[in-house]
Amino acid sequence: AVAALAGGLVQALARRPKRVGHALIVTSEDHTVFEGEHRVRSVQAADLILPTAELDALWSPRDLERLARTYWRWLTRATLGLVRVDYREDGRQVKALGLVPLLTFQEPEYEMSADRGIVRWRIERGILVARRGRGGHGYLEIEIRRRPSLDYPGDSIAHVEVEVANFYPAIAYGISRRLYENTQSRIHVIVTHGFLRRL
């Protein structure tokens, strides 16, 4: 029985995808700032270092869309299923316990060039958004920019930023900025850093 268990473990490990690079979190200390009295901008970033040939193989609109889906799957996994994402024809809806609509996003917008890719979801509404920030003014965006690595010949760096911009959090607008910074904002940073490491 022990031999069978060990054999199964070896097979499972062999089936795991091989790591082809590594991620270095490069988020600045002032990653979350209030622009004006109530509007928030938050940026978390990482440098992914991987062989140029591997990055070339992934540099396509299809894989940009896969990157976006990976973010939403990670959000559900990181919150142990307490937060779930519904894919809708007109966008995405993030729900607590599959019931309470925390955030509703419009359809994703994609941009792709030889060295830059962006996927952006504009914030439509949700109980986490103050009335002033609804209707697509704020957004969540993943941007990836590529450049050659100067330290590792044959490798490239994919700089990934996850940005929330022009966001009016309801909790900061109506209750307390400090409460927002120590709850919703902190959770967002932890989850996003986990996503960047998983890449």
Side-chain angles (χ1 to χ4, degrees):
V2 172
L5 180 61
L9 181 59
V10 168
Q11 289 179 355
L13 289 173
R15 286 193 302 268
R16 289 177 62 188
K18 290 186 173 58
R19 186 181 300 265
V20 296
H22 62 278
L24 175 66
I25 301 296
V26 293
T27 299
S28 67
E29 289 187 13
D30 58 344
H31 54 77
T32 302
V33 295
F34 277 84
E35 298 177 326
E37 191 174 352
H38 301 294
R39 189 174 71 244
V40 172
R41 180 174 184 264
S42 180
V43 181
Q44 285 71 51
D47 283 340
L48 310 181
I49 304 164
L50 67 165
T52 299
E54 296 284 349
L55 184 56
D56 288 343
L58 294 169
W59 200 260
S60 69
R62 177 179 62 87
D63 284 295
L64 182 62
E65 198 274 337
R66 285 178 59 197
L67 175 68
R69 284 184 174 270
T70 299
Y71 177 81
W72 296 121
R73 281 198 303 270
W74 173 253
L75 178 61
T76 298
R77 182 174 177 180
T79 59
L80 304 177
L82 296 175
V83 174
R84 298 180 184 172
V85 180
D86 284 348
Y87 285 79
R88 302 154 32 133
E89 286 187 11
D90 60 347
R92 309 284 182 268
Q93 191 166 58
V94 179
K95 294 181 177 179
L97 305 172
L99 300 170
V100 182
L102 302 175
L103 292 165
T104 299
F105 295 90
Q106 298 176 3
E107 292 180 76
E109 304 166 7
Y110 295 97
E111 299 175 27
M112 192 96 192
S113 69
D115 57 5
R116 186 169 178 249
I118 294 175
V119 57
R120 180 184 304 113
W121 299 270
R122 297 191 181 276
I123 301 167
E124 182 61 33
R125 61 185 180 277
I127 64 170
L128 296 182
V129 189
R131 188 179 305 276
R132 184 175 177 183
R134 297 175 185 172
H137 300 295
Y139 59 84
L140 166 66
E141 175 180 285
I142 301 175
E143 178 182 4
I144 182 166
R145 287 173 293 176
R146 60 179 297 175
R147 67 181 190 270
S149 171
L150 299 178
D151 297 320
Y152 303 98
D155 284 357
S156 288
I157 295 174
H159 179 77
V160 182
E161 291 188 356
V162 180
E163 177 181 6
V164 175
N166 207 29
F167 175 57
Y168 288 82
I171 193 171
Y173 203 88
I175 303 174
S176 164
R177 177 188 292 195
R178 184 177 295 275
L179 183 60
Y180 167 76
E181 291 171 337
N182 288 299
T183 55
Q184 187 178 336
S185 174
R186 192 176 298 272
I187 291 168
H188 169 74
V189 171
I190 291 169
V191 168
T192 303
H193 280 171
F195 163 70
L196 291 169
R197 289 189 183 95
R198 287 283 296 178
L199 291 178

